[in-house]
């Protein structure tokens, strides 16, 4: 298995986010990428640098105005006298169905859901190449590899068609899934991040060609609050093609694996020919975001069960923040996956 990563992805270096109104250091530090890369190499993966796939692969998932916003907002924001170094919204439009704003402040409110996705001077370059890593991993699988791991950092699964949030800007898992649709009729995304994959759900909510399954801490008391509940099942053509499996705060290996089995049953019934694993490692018992209690060996068991599907697999990094076992959790997952999958 290859690990796909470009050093440009580390240029995004957010300073803060607000947690219950308090400014704290942003946990999505560039050093996460170093830890995860080292851990992937320890699991025997060989590093490759992604090709440049152009904007088409991003525009297949995100709207033109949102892409233009990400490309230009930092420069326009910087021209506001006394503005902060990073773009952080201070207006939050209710329902977003009014006129599209022209001012950078208005657009920041329109396109960024919360304070956890600050946009710096290098953010666009970093997230663009992040998307290329996801695409490159998908391309490796289309070209015949049984699996590939995209080391995406910052993560992506909280990003909607036209909205950033929760450390995420471009939805790398969705971009990989959409790219795989070029040759696969049915693609399933299995999201095991601590948090609900609300952006991914939103992007595919009305579609039945991409099944979305997410296992996560119950959003009744946990980010992303407004999405991730069990009664969100898709809409229109997509009704029944979104499955949310919320878990009580503090759930450990046993409860997580039981929910995963339910999710994998749904995936098997959908009969995809390829899967995307949205691999958050923040369900770890040691993660600073402290929602679930998966152990390091637990990640190998999660991987083992997903690998039992026996399908070509694109693994896309999502969350998982700096803590002592972060690297070991990735190594555990990848080794567990490879042992069962034979890839
Ligand atoms: Zn997360």
């Amino acid at each position: 298995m290859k690990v796909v990563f470009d050093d440009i992805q580390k240029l995004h270096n957010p300073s803060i986010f607000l947690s219950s109104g308090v400014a704290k250091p942003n946990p999505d530090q560039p050093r996460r990428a170093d830890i995860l890369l080292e851990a992937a190499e320890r699991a025997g993966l060989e590093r490759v640098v992604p090709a440049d796939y152009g904007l088409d692969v991003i525009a297949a998932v995100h709207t033109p105005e949102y892409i233009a916003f990400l490309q230009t907002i930092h420069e326009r924001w910087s021209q506001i006298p006394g503005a902060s170094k990073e773009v952080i919204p201070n207006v939050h439009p209710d329902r977003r169905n009014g006129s599209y704003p022209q001012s950078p402040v208005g657009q920041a409110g329109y396109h960024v859901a919360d304070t956890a996705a600050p946009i710096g001077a290098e953010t666009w370059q970093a997230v663009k190449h992040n998307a290329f890593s996801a695409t490159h991993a998908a391309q490796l699988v289309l070209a015949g590899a049984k699996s590939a791991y995209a080391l995406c950092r910052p993560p992506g699964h909280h990003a909607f068609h036209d909205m950033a949030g929760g450390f995420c800007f471009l939805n790398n898992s969705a971009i990989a899934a959409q790219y795989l649709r070029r040759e696969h009729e049915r693609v399933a995304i299995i999201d095991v991040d601590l948090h609900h994959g609300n952006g991914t759900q939103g992007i595919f909510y009305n579609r039945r060609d991409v099944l979305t399954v997410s296992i996560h801490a119950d959003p009744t008391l946990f980010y992303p609050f407004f999405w991730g509940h069990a009664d969100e099942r898709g809409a229109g053509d997509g009704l029944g093609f979104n499955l949310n499996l919320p878990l009580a705060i503090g759930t450990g290996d046993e409860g997580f694996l039981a929910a995963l089995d339910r999710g994998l049953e749904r995936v098997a019934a959908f009969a995809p020919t390829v899967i995307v694993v949205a691999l958050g490692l923040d369900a770890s018992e040691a993660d600073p975001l402290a929602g679930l209690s998966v152990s390091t060996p637990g990640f190998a068991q999660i991987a083992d069960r997903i690998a039992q599907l026996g399908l070509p697999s694109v693994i896309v990094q999502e969350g998982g923040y700096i803590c002592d076992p972060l690297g070991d959790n990735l190594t555990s997952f990848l080794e567990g996956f490879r042992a069962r999958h034979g890839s």
Side-chain angles (χ1 to χ4, degrees), residues 58 62 66 70 124 127-128 131 155-156 159 168-172 175:
I58 297 170
H62 295 283
Y66 180 56
L70 289 175
W124 167 248
V127 299
K128 182 174 74 168
C168 301
F169 303 88
L170 297 176
N171 194 313
N172 308 301
I175 288 167

Side-chain angles (χ1 to χ4, degrees), residues 157-158 167 193-195 280 282 289 318-321:
H157 71 154
H158 296 309
F167 316 140
D193 188 279
L194 165 64
H195 303 94
D282 42 5
L289 300 189
E318 297 286 356
Y321 300 93

Side-chain angles (χ1 to χ4, degrees), residues 1-5 45-51 53 132-150 176 179-180 183-184 274 312-315:
M1 197 192 307
K2 300 272 202 312
V3 45
V4 189
F5 177 70
L45 276 64
E46 180 194 339
R47 180 182 171 181
V48 293
V49 175
Y53 287 86
F132 292 162
S133 281
T135 305
H136 197 88
Q139 174 57 33
L140 289 172
V141 168
L142 288 186
K146 290 177 74 176
S147 64
Y149 167 58
Y179 192 81
L180 291 166
E183 293 186 21
H184 291 269
V274 66
S313 304
V314 179
I315 300 165

